[in-house]
Amino acid sequence: MCSQLVLLALLPLIFAAGPRPKVLLVSMDGFRYDYLKKTETPNFDRLVSQGVTMPFMNNSFVTSTFPCHYTMATGLYSEVHGIVANRMYDPEFNSFFGQSNKESRWWEGGEPIWITAKKAGLKTGVYFWPGSESPIHGEMADRWMPYNSSVPFEERVEAVVSWMARDDYDLTLVYFSEPDESGHRHGPESPAMVPVIQRMDAIVGLIVQKLNDTGLEDKVNVIITSDHGMTAVDLKNRIIDLSHYLNDSLLQFVVDEGASSHILPKPGKNSQLVAALSGVPHMRVMLKENIPDRFHLKHNRRVMPVFAYADEGWTISANATKRQSEVYNGGHGYDNELPHMKPIFIAKGPAFRSNQTVEPIQSVDIYPLICHILKINPSPNNGSLDRASRLLNLETKRSSSNDMALTVAQSTVFILSFLAYIF
């Protein structure tokens, strides 16, 4: 009789716990916030009507693939997690970083969501994401894939849904290189972008279909977003050639170039190099310590003593002749306050509001948002769950106050087994 009373008392907690939440985070590289207005996108439209969206997401600076993706994964600004550009130099390592670098030491300034979730006892899988191929503080996702751009997008969808359906993964991430690749090649305003956007709409449809086919459509919280937007560039007429203004007496090397540039001067020549570049049209140049605070960039050793960034659509280059040989009509990396740098954000699932448009969140908010949905404790981050909570339905917002009840409910299997034994 005593055991029955205890069981009755615990039943509300057991049922309150409900099914374990799942999250699928999808990145479509270079998907500008307004691309959905360029053509018919029925699958995106259906997702928006069933979920929650915003006019755009406020992303981090610099608006490049590796820094922005690692910010989404860790909830940290670039100056904190240390991925400050797609190409970097670390003076302590005396080494360069490129996009194929897998050395753990470059990535250990932050803890990505797949590690946080795994440490909490959840199953995690990543089908391509910057940082996912490197052990971070000795940990990796339960399943990860070495980057291979030739893997069909459809195969990636099949895999991550299968991980969740067949292998009961709690968190999966998947990356697509479009529409970024086509945006660079054709330019964001080109009619050639229409079929690319339609292709990505079909991928959204496939994600929904596969979740439905496996019985997961109403169980998985899907977040579809991007790292940055895209703007038109003109390498023939809008290029800034640093070699016209600098010489070997001032410059050691240009670490990174494009929309922004990390520049390492000769020892003791920082101010002289800034002076040599001051007044160059369509470019702002400054000492590292004078980088605007809103960029959240300057407090990291991988940011060089001199930093420059260009006006929208202009390109900084250490070798204009070489750069102009590229087929390149679209670019990013510019000031993250520029509208064309803003990415999309759409979320749908049991945790989210339905048919709602809310005020934009920041990309650093994605990490604490996912932690909250998965009911795990986040590592220290720069995001705001208060800001991200505008995406959530009332039940999910309240869930944090029920964490203790959930913990008790998760212990009932042991308690009931013990009661059955002693009675």
Side-chain angles (χ1 to χ4, degrees):
M1 180 66 178
C2 180
S3 62
Q4 292 173 332
L5 291 174
V6 173
L7 176 59
L8 288 172
L10 289 172
L11 280 175
L13 294 178
I14 297 171
F15 289 116
R20 191 171 69 243
K22 296 177 181 287
V23 173
L24 168 58
L25 177 61
V26 179
S27 174
M28 296 183 172
D29 198 327
F31 207 117
R32 203 170 78 184
Y33 78 99
D34 62 346
Y35 274 180
L36 297 182
K37 299 177 182 178
K38 291 184 177 293
T39 184
E40 297 296 318
T41 52
N43 295 299
F44 274 111
D45 295 345
R46 190 174 304 112
L47 206 67
V48 168
S49 69
Q50 297 173 348
V52 60
T53 189
M54 56 192 69
F56 51 80
M57 183 174 70
N58 288 310
N59 53 340
S60 56
F61 186 79
V62 294
T63 50
S64 296
T65 298
F66 273 45
C68 287
H69 273 96
Y70 212 50
T71 287
M72 287 192 285
T74 62
L76 299 171
Y77 296 125
S78 293
E79 66 182 355
V80 182
H81 62 58
I83 306 300
V84 300
N86 286 346
R87 176 173 166 79
M88 305 179 289
Y89 173 73
D90 190 311
E92 184 175 306
F93 300 161
N94 189 26
S95 180
F96 286 91
F97 172 94
Q99 295 185 55
S100 61
N101 194 300
K102 308 298 188 298
E103 293 178 279
S104 299
R105 60 180 181 169
W106 292 93
W107 298 97
E108 294 186 334
E111 180 179 277
I113 185 64
W114 57 84
I115 301 301
T116 303
K118 183 179 178 182
K119 287 166 65 175
L122 304 184
K123 294 181 71 173
T124 65
V126 186
Y127 210 119
F128 306 155
W129 200 279
S132 64
E133 297 179 56
S134 304
I136 298 170
H137 305 294
E139 297 280 0
M140 299 182 76
D142 291 295
R143 189 174 297 182
W144 57 274
M145 306 297 290
Y147 187 69
N148 180 354
S149 61
S150 67
V151 175
F153 290 180
E154 294 78 7
E155 185 175 325
R156 305 178 198 188
V157 173
E158 292 268 5
V160 293
V161 174
S162 174
W163 296 348
M164 300 187 110
R166 184 190 64 207
D167 302 322
D168 198 25
Y169 276 47
D170 304 285
L171 169 70
T172 57
L173 295 82
V174 60
Y175 166 85
F176 303 102
S177 56
E178 290 286 17
D180 182 78
E181 290 180 353
S182 296
H184 282 303
R185 185 166 57 252
H186 303 296
E189 312 306 335
S190 169
M193 292 303 296
V194 169
V196 180
I197 297 166
Q198 292 171 340
R199 178 191 182 197
M200 301 318 295
D201 182 71
I203 292 299
V204 171
L206 181 63
I207 291 171
V208 173
Q209 176 195 326
K210 292 300 178 182
L211 290 174
N212 185 58
D213 290 347
T214 54
L216 291 177
E217 184 178 13
D218 296 324
K219 300 175 183 178
V220 174
N221 296 284
V222 180
I223 300 171
I224 297 180
T225 186
S226 182
D227 46 357
H228 52 70
M230 186 74 67
T231 196
V233 299
D234 180 351
L235 294 183
K236 181 178 180 181
N237 298 303
R238 294 191 293 179
I239 195 162
I240 301 163
D241 191 341
L242 296 180
S243 67
H244 291 170
Y245 309 97
L246 301 176
N247 56 50
D248 292 341
S249 68
L250 295 176
L251 178 67
Q252 284 197 66
F253 46 77
V254 176
V255 177
D256 192 36
E257 59 181 29
S260 62
S261 183
H262 292 265
I263 304 170
L264 184 62
K266 289 287 178 65
K269 300 293 186 179
N270 296 1
S271 296
Q272 292 96 313
L273 193 148
V274 170
L277 294 177
S278 294
V280 174
H282 305 292
M283 182 178 75
R284 295 168 178 83
V285 61
M286 63 210 67
L287 295 171
K288 172 180 178 176
E289 55 266 29
N290 295 328
I291 295 174
D293 291 339
R294 66 183 178 86
F295 286 159
H296 300 287
L297 184 67
K298 63 186 173 184
H299 298 295
N300 195 284
R301 68 175 185 261
R302 296 171 188 167
V303 177
M304 294 296 97
V306 174
F307 180 74
Y309 67 100
D311 290 346
E312 182 175 2
W314 286 78
T315 301
I316 302 169
S317 178
N319 186 332
T321 301
K322 180 180 178 181
R323 193 63 184 260
Q324 287 170 330
S325 66
E326 302 172 1
V327 178
Y328 197 81
N329 293 296
H332 50 82
Y334 298 95
D335 190 330
N336 57 336
E337 288 190 348
L338 293 168
H340 285 164
M341 292 299 102
K342 305 289 189 183
I344 60 165
F345 185 100
I346 303 166
K348 185 258 183 185
F352 294 109
R353 300 172 72 179
S354 178
N355 195 25
Q356 295 288 319
T357 299
V358 301
E359 290 297 308
I361 66 168
Q362 295 184 20
S363 58
V364 289
D365 302 334
I366 292 176
Y367 173 86
L369 171 68
I370 294 176
C371 288
H372 179 73
I373 293 172
L374 294 176
K375 304 181 188 301
I376 60 177
N377 293 323
S379 289
N381 62 86
N382 300 121
S384 166
L385 182 56
D386 285 344
R387 193 163 47 224
S389 67
R390 66 186 61 152
L391 300 163
L392 301 172
N393 58 38
L394 290 177
E395 182 181 352
T396 309
K397 283 184 181 181
R398 288 194 300 263
S399 67
S400 59
S401 64
N402 296 328
D403 283 346
M404 185 173 293
L406 179 61
T407 301
V408 174
Q410 289 170 332
S411 304
T412 56
V413 173
F414 170 78
I415 295 171
L416 293 175
S417 298
F418 179 71
L419 288 172
Y421 172 75
I422 63 174
F423 292 105

